[in-house]
């Protein structure tokens, strides 16, 4: 399902869930495409779960010190970005041991061949011959994350769609064999307007792991860094502020950034900048981004030092462990294990 279809559906009785890996500071793309989406949905759904997928992050080598910092940083960023801890259960995946337990039971009902077909596994394993067994079973852990909480919708980028579809297969197979246990989840894919592109190569996605720092705006970039990156963004030689993804991907990307962060629309922007040059437009885009991220950063640095985060995580761990234990026990009984 995409965002456009979603407006027409009653969301009041729905549960949503998503996770982000703590593999570095999140980008403006992650913020607009994933976090801001959750901020919008938190007011219209029955229940919302947002977690840090730290156990997924260790399927590839991590520096322990950096990982530790990235985990706390991501929790603080969720809240600083507007995720309300009263409206969402914000938790750490590794705080809940039943995710791995449920994952094991699901692994034992998932055919090897099905996992071998996962595109992300094929990509990542081809880049490193010493890949871990965890990289292979990664999608089953993701299925466990989703199925434990009876999630109706899973907001993810298009790259994760195949994994949510696998979670559906896993759920369906288990339900058929052992009786109704899991709800069928659906991926919730944001529409193209919220896909933020690389600043230097606007035909590819802005991504956390990009090798060129000038391509990507990180949520914690300073005012000067943001201004420099936006002023240096690739555009075209037409000198016309007009939305045209195919012929003017750079300008269209900057317009998408503005409309995602303000009340502006594409026509209002085109009108506002008629006859103006790219420099003026870019300065405006930079101001919009600096203002939005400035507010987030202020809150972020306040949160990092406080013990508010620990309290939020502690309560969420209790709540999610109880839910997951119940599902784990239900599965055990159905599979013939002792509870
Ligand atoms: P990595 O470079 O480590 O693969 P990433 O930046 O591509 O990271 P993920 O951690 O894989 O991001 O994704 C987290 C979520 O952020 C995704 O489910 C997706 O919805 C969203 N997202 C990522 N990049 C963008 C983007 N450029 N525009 C919009 N949404 C994005
Ligand atoms: N694999 C996802 C992160 C993730 C996730 C999940 C997303 C782990 N478990 C469950 C949605 C639901 C990623 O890399 N973006």
């Amino acid at each position: 399902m995409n965002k456009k279809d979603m407006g027409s559906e009653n969301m009041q009785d729905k549960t949503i869930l998503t996770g982000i890996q703590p593999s570095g500071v999140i980008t403006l793309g992650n913020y607009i495409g994933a976090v801001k989406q959750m901020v919008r949905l938190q007011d219209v759904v029955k229940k919302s779960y947002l977690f840090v997928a730290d156990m997924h992050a260790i399927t590839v080598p991590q520096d322990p010190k950096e990982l530790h910092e990235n985990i706390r940083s991501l929790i603080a960023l969720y809240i600083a970005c507007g995720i309300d801890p009263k409206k969402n259960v914000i938790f750490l995946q590794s705080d809940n041991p039943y995710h791995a337990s449920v994952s094991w039971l699901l692994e034992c009902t998932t055919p090897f061949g099905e996992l071998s077909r996962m595109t992300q596994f094929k990509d990542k394993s081809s880049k490193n011959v010493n890949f871990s067994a965890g990289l292979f079973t990664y999608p089953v852990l993701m299925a466990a994350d989703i199925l434990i909480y009876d999630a109706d919708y899973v907001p993810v980028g298009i790259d994760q769609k195949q994994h949510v579809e696998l979670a559906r297969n896993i759920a369906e197979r288990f339900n058929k064999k052992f009786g109704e246990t899991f709800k069928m989840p659906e991926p919730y894919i944001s529409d193209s307007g919220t896909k933020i592109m690389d600043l230097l190569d606007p035909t590819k996605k802005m991504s956390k792991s990009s090798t060129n720092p000038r391509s990507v705006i990180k949520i914690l970039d300073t005012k000067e860094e943001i201004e420099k990156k936006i002023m240096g963004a690739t555009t075209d030689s037409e000198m016309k502020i007009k939305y045209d993804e195919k012929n003017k991907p750079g300008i269209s990307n900057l317009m998408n950034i503005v409309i995602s962060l303000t009340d502006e629309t594409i026509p209002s922007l085109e009108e506002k900048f008629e006859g103006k040059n790219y420099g003026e437009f870019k300065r405006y885009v930079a101001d919009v981004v600096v203002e939005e991220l400035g507010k987030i950063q202020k809150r972020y640095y306040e949160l990092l030092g406080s013990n508010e985060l620990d309290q939020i995580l502690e309560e969420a761990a209790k709540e999610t462990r109880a839910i997951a234990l119940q599902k784990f026990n239900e599965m055990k009984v159905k599979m013939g294990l002792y509870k």
Side-chain angles (χ1 to χ4, degrees):
M1 159 170 297
N2 67 33
K3 203 152 124 191
K4 289 188 202 100
D5 303 329
M6 204 153 210
S8 56
E9 209 198 351
N10 187 0
M11 295 294 286
Q12 279 163 0
D13 60 344
K14 301 295 183 214
T15 295
I16 55 169
L17 169 140
T18 199
I20 299 183
Q21 293 190 54
S23 45
V25 176
I26 57 171
T27 68
L28 187 63
N30 299 136
Y31 172 63
I32 291 173
V35 184
K36 220 168 154 49
Q37 220 178 162
M38 290 296 279
V39 172
R40 193 178 62 81
L41 291 172
Q42 69 185 355
D43 291 316
V44 297
V45 294
K46 184 178 88 181
K47 192 86 188 172
S48 167
Y49 296 91
L50 182 58
F51 65 96
V52 173
D54 52 353
M55 296 205 295
H56 277 101
I58 57 170
T59 56
V60 295
Q62 297 285 345
D63 174 80
K65 189 171 171 285
E66 248 175 56
L67 178 65
H68 195 76
E69 281 163 13
N70 284 340
I71 291 170
R72 192 173 173 87
S73 166
L74 187 51
I75 295 280
L77 275 176
Y78 280 161
I79 300 167
C81 288
I83 297 290
D84 182 347
K86 293 197 179 73
K87 295 180 185 157
N88 298 268
V89 183
I90 304 171
F91 69 104
L92 256 188
Q93 188 186 32
S94 67
D95 261 350
N96 190 339
Y98 301 112
H99 281 237
S101 311
V102 168
S103 180
W104 179 255
L105 300 187
L106 295 177
E107 268 176 49
C108 295
T109 64
T110 304
F112 185 91
E114 217 165 280
L115 292 181
S116 315
R117 284 194 289 275
M118 293 294 110
T119 313
Q120 181 183 282
F121 169 71
K122 285 195 277 188
D123 276 1
K124 291 198 176 173
S125 60
S126 67
K127 286 181 195 145
N128 179 1
V129 283
N130 287 322
F131 63 86
S132 70
L135 192 67
F136 184 67
T137 54
Y138 171 124
V140 190
L141 178 61
M142 182 161 161
D145 299 336
I146 298 168
L147 299 177
I148 284 170
Y149 301 96
D150 291 325
D152 295 287
Y153 295 115
V154 183
V156 282
I158 196 83
D159 55 318
Q160 296 297 321
K161 187 169 175 241
Q162 193 185 33
H163 290 159
V164 183
E165 278 159 3
L166 179 84
R168 286 171 67 86
N169 290 347
I170 290 176
E172 200 174 15
R173 195 169 24 239
F174 193 99
N175 287 348
K176 237 187 219 151
K177 185 151 189 212
F178 300 109
E180 203 58 27
T181 312
F182 299 121
K183 203 162 192 178
M184 294 299 262
E186 253 195 73
Y188 167 43
I189 311 288
S190 52
D191 58 27
S192 58
T194 51
K195 186 163 168 202
I196 304 305
M197 310 308 274
D198 185 287
L199 293 178
L200 295 180
D201 177 0
T203 57
K204 72 175 207 224
K205 194 187 87 148
M206 182 183 283
S207 151
K208 258 191 263 135
S209 53
S210 167
T211 45
N212 190 341
R214 286 168 45 232
S215 297
V216 177
I217 294 179
K218 298 272 181 144
I219 290 288
L220 297 177
D221 279 352
T222 63
K223 179 173 184 284
E224 293 68 31
E225 284 168 334
I226 296 168
E227 284 168 353
K228 209 166 154 197
K229 288 179 189 182
I230 291 179
M231 296 312 287
T234 302
T235 47
D236 54 76
S237 54
E238 202 192 21
M239 278 299 158
K240 197 167 173 206
I241 288 105
K242 188 173 169 293
Y243 194 87
D244 180 346
E245 265 181 42
K246 193 161 165 271
N247 300 307
K248 298 164 77 66
I251 284 294
S252 304
N253 187 37
L254 294 178
M255 293 177 100
N256 272 333
I257 292 175
V258 174
I259 64 162
S260 304
L261 301 180
T262 63
D263 294 334
E264 298 273 7
T265 59
I266 295 292
S268 78
L269 272 182
E270 286 174 346
E271 198 183 320
K272 193 171 188 162
F273 285 93
E274 203 180 334
K276 303 246 166 78
N277 64 36
Y278 282 178
E280 283 170 276
F281 177 60
K282 282 178 165 178
R283 256 187 298 279
Y284 175 74
V285 179
D287 286 347
V288 166
V289 176
V290 166
E291 197 192 328
E292 180 93 1
L293 298 193
K295 285 184 279 188
I296 294 172
Q297 292 173 7
K298 185 170 175 289
R299 177 99 178 96
Y300 168 79
Y301 290 111
E302 287 164 4
L303 273 165
L304 256 196
S306 82
N307 60 5
E308 199 181 328
L309 289 187
D310 305 293
Q311 282 164 8
I312 290 167
L313 289 181
E314 208 174 301
E315 272 174 39
K318 260 189 234 154
E319 181 177 344
T320 58
R321 276 182 210 144
I323 296 168
L325 176 60
Q326 204 178 352
K327 198 61 116 183
F328 180 53
N329 281 336
E330 185 185 343
M331 290 170 75
K332 277 170 79 179
V333 170
K334 286 181 170 158
M335 294 175 87
L337 299 170
Y338 274 77
K339 192 185 125 189

